[in-house]
């Protein structure tokens, strides 16, 4: 389904209508189902990517949330402002590492799929320029 096709406009219109029709607490689930269905229209093998992405985001956001909830509980017990500041900075660094890991886990597969043929083609051109006689198929 192409973004500028009639089918996509109908698909998006239906899900926007459903989104505003369902109660507030089910709207995220509606968007999740719309995303899964949208990827399924390209082929069932793309479901692996969307399900993996959903799982990675879920696990990483839970990890970041646990880091912050532990930090809030523990900093409440700390009386020294310098120690409290150091603890918050440590928590911020840990959260940032998980955020970067999450972004890489989400963007990595999509970038790889999008640019894999481009990279291989350029690599083969470089090998041909060097007269190696080697080619990656």
């Amino acid at each position: 389904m192409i973004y500028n096709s009639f089918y996509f406009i109908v698909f998006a219109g239906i899900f926007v209508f459903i989104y505003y029709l369902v109660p507030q607490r089910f709207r995220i689930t509606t968007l999740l189902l719309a995303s899964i269905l949208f990827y399924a229209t390209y082929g069932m093998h793309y479901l692996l990517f969307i399900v993996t992405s959903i799982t990675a985001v879920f696990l990483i956001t839970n990890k970041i949330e646990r880091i912050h909830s532990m930090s809030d509980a523990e900093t409440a017990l700390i009386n020294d402002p310098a120690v409290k500041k150091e603890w918050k900075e440590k928590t911020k660094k840990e959260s940032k590492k998980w955020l970067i890991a999450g972004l890489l886990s989400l963007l990595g597969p999509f970038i790889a799929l999008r640019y894999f043929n481009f990279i291989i083609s350029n690599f083969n051109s470089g090998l041909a320029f060097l007269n190696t006689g080697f080619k990656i198929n």
Side-chain angles (χ1 to χ4, degrees), residues 50-69:
I50 192 68
V51 169
T52 303
S53 297
I54 290 168
T55 304
V57 167
F58 178 77
L59 293 174
I60 289 171
T61 54
N62 280 343
K63 177 66 175 174
I64 292 172
E65 177 61 31
R66 270 187 271 128
I67 289 169
H68 283 282
S69 64

Side-chain angles (χ1 to χ4, degrees), residues 62-93:
N62 280 343
K63 177 66 175 174
I64 292 172
E65 177 61 31
R66 270 187 271 128
I67 289 169
H68 283 282
S69 64
M70 285 189 315
S71 173
D72 291 342
E74 291 172 0
T75 54
L77 301 173
I78 300 172
N79 293 327
D80 185 12
V83 174
K84 189 179 274 194
K85 183 177 180 183
E86 181 182 330
W87 182 258
K88 286 191 178 229
E89 286 175 9
K90 180 182 174 190
T91 303
K92 188 176 180 180
K93 283 182 183 176

Side-chain angles (χ1 to χ4, degrees), residues 9-137:
I9 293 170
V10 170
F11 176 83
I14 289 170
F15 270 98
V16 166
F17 179 74
I18 292 171
Y19 177 81
Y20 286 109
L21 191 66
V22 299
Q24 184 80 27
R25 64 177 183 220
F26 296 119
R27 288 185 175 175
I28 291 176
T29 306
T30 303
L31 291 175
L32 182 69
L33 292 174
S35 296
I36 291 171
L37 186 61
F38 179 74
Y39 273 86
T41 61
Y42 280 104
M44 295 306 283
H45 56 283
Y46 285 110
L47 283 179
L48 174 66
F49 291 110
I50 192 68
V51 169
T52 303
S53 297
I54 290 168
T55 304
V57 167
F58 178 77
L59 293 174
I60 289 171
T61 54
N62 280 343
K63 177 66 175 174
I64 292 172
E65 177 61 31
R66 270 187 271 128
I67 289 169
H68 283 282
S69 64
M70 285 189 315
S71 173
D72 291 342
E74 291 172 0
T75 54
L77 301 173
I78 300 172
N79 293 327
D80 185 12
V83 174
K84 189 179 274 194
K85 183 177 180 183
E86 181 182 330
W87 182 258
K88 286 191 178 229
E89 286 175 9
K90 180 182 174 190
T91 303
K92 188 176 180 180
K93 283 182 183 176
E94 179 130 1
S95 295
K96 197 174 198 178
K97 285 192 302 190
W98 281 102
L99 176 64
I100 290 169
L103 289 172
L104 290 175
S105 71
L106 283 175
L107 297 175
F110 293 109
I111 290 170
L113 284 174
R114 178 79 176 152
Y115 295 106
F116 181 75
N117 289 335
F118 174 74
I119 292 168
I120 294 298
S121 172
N122 283 320
F123 189 72
N124 283 335
S125 296
L127 291 175
F129 178 75
L130 296 173
N131 242 356
T132 59
F134 184 72
K135 185 178 180 182
I136 297 175
N137 291 328

